Amino acid sequence: HNSKGGSRPSVLNMSLGDMPSSGYPYVYFNDPNSVSDDYLDDMVDACANAGITVVISAGNGFDNGDETNYVFHGRMNSRFIRPARTENVITVGALNPDSSIAYYSNYGQNVDVFAPGSDIYSALNTDASMITVMSGTSMAAPIVSGMCALYLQGDPTAAPMKVRSNIISKCS
């Protein structure tokens, strides 16, 4: 998004994550070529400062980086996951169909809201005509992004922090 142009209002939904090399004893993903260890945090901060409401998935435990050999390390406090730990975004955890927090969903004070994330019908990226059932915080975050878009439809000049506050208050 070009902060000098582009259309408003805007919502950015992101389902990605990384662990900073400091603050947690295990480093699963670390980019030694990054300018800053906080590059994802810096990126979403820049988006929010440009007036874009940013919604981030809280993450699903953590894996070893190899999608063919997924290793579930257990749920983690989202304060260790970037950019989910960033304060001026809406960080979304996942709920089961019975509204309980999903066993895989990251948690903690940085998770702002929870949304349905288990057994969600989704398109397959390998075949546009096929759907599948998926679970994860990546399924929950788009639901909240849609809520943000609906809010912005009624208040198109709302700053990202106003949208964030409204969504959090409605989901509490």
Side-chain angles (χ1 to χ4, degrees), residues 106-169:
N106 285 344
Y107 62 91
Q109 67 186 19
N110 291 72
V111 176
D112 298 305
V113 297
F114 286 87
S118 296
D119 302 328
I120 305 295
Y121 287 94
S122 179
L124 283 171
N125 65 353
T126 56
D127 185 342
S129 66
M130 301 294 292
I131 61 170
T132 189
V133 177
M134 299 177 73
S135 296
T137 58
S138 293
M139 299 291 103
I143 293 169
V144 176
S145 293
M147 292 173 62
C148 293
L150 287 171
Y151 179 81
L152 285 164
Q153 183 178 18
D155 188 357
T157 61
M161 291 306 283
K162 181 177 181 185
V163 177
R164 180 181 184 274
S165 295
N166 182 275
I167 296 299
I168 291 170
S169 71

Side-chain angles (χ1 to χ4, degrees), residues 17 36 44 82 88 92-93 101 118 161 165:
S36 164
V44 297
R82 62 182 172 198
N88 59 358
V92 184
I101 297 174
S118 296
M161 291 306 283
S165 295

Side-chain angles (χ1 to χ4, degrees), residues 33-162:
N33 299 315
S34 68
V35 175
S36 164
D37 195 41
D38 298 326
Y39 63 98
L40 287 173
D41 296 343
D42 295 342
M43 178 188 66
V44 297
D45 282 339
C47 290
N49 290 335
I52 301 168
T53 299
V54 182
V55 179
I56 305 285
S57 61
N60 311 312
F62 240 87
D63 64 43
N64 65 353
D66 178 359
E67 293 180 8
T68 63
N69 187 23
Y70 184 83
V71 178
F72 181 71
H73 292 284
R75 297 184 326 155
M76 298 183 72
N77 188 316
S78 65
R79 72 185 176 97
F80 298 120
I81 309 300
R82 62 182 172 198
R85 66 184 184 173
T86 309
E87 292 182 12
N88 59 358
V89 303
I90 302 170
T91 300
V92 184
L95 294 173
N96 291 315
D98 66 0
S99 297
S100 63
I101 297 174
Y103 77 92
Y104 53 80
S105 180
N106 285 344
Y107 62 91
Q109 67 186 19
N110 291 72
V111 176
D112 298 305
V113 297
F114 286 87
S118 296
D119 302 328
I120 305 295
Y121 287 94
S122 179
L124 283 171
N125 65 353
T126 56
D127 185 342
S129 66
M130 301 294 292
I131 61 170
T132 189
V133 177
M134 299 177 73
S135 296
T137 58
S138 293
M139 299 291 103
I143 293 169
V144 176
S145 293
M147 292 173 62
C148 293
L150 287 171
Y151 179 81
L152 285 164
Q153 183 178 18
D155 188 357
T157 61
M161 291 306 283
K162 181 177 181 185

